[in-house]
Amino acid sequence: MSIEVELDSLADEVARWSFCYLLTVSNDGRPHLLALRPEVDAGTVPPVLRFDAGGGRACRNASARPAISVVFPPVEHSDGMSLVVDGEAVVEGSTIEFTPTWAVLHRPAP
């Protein structure tokens, strides 16, 4: 069973994970994944997540198609659940600023 995460509590939830996969869509429609650690601006609701994406493919993809997702894989405290967050990206140089629009603790693998 999945559990929706309220956006006003997302900063606290993200702080419990060590890293995530940033998912963007390439020109040919294929997903592109990049493992990163976000910097969280908890002073906004929803919190803005910032990623130093290095200015490469992830930045190009997010500029062209700003609807992106991040997935925090299961960790010891999560009972096998992953944190999945959808949102909108704005790219500034090598930084992707990600504003969440929806988040869920996704059920563990069977």
Side-chain angles (χ1 to χ4, degrees):
M1 179 166 138
S2 296
I3 302 166
E4 189 168 348
V5 176
E6 296 297 325
L7 295 179
D8 60 355
S9 65
L10 188 58
D12 292 333
E13 195 62 46
V14 167
R16 301 177 65 209
W17 265 261
S18 61
F19 79 99
C20 65
Y21 294 102
L22 174 75
L23 290 93
T24 61
V25 178
S26 298
N27 288 337
D28 63 2
R30 293 181 185 180
H32 177 261
L33 281 72
L34 185 61
L36 296 167
R37 287 186 173 82
E39 173 189 314
V40 180
D41 180 352
T44 63
V45 176
V48 172
L49 295 117
R50 288 185 187 85
F51 300 95
D52 181 356
R57 186 182 318 177
C59 290
R60 290 190 303 274
N61 290 347
S63 289
R65 289 163 295 284
I68 65 173
S69 298
V70 295
V71 177
F72 295 82
V75 291
E76 188 174 313
H77 68 76
S78 70
D79 294 327
M81 297 182 100
S82 299
L83 175 60
V84 180
V85 186
D86 294 334
E88 295 291 320
V90 173
V91 179
E92 295 182 16
S94 64
T95 301
I96 296 175
E97 291 194 0
F98 175 73
T99 301
T101 56
W102 182 81
V104 65
L105 289 169
H106 194 272
R107 65 175 180 80

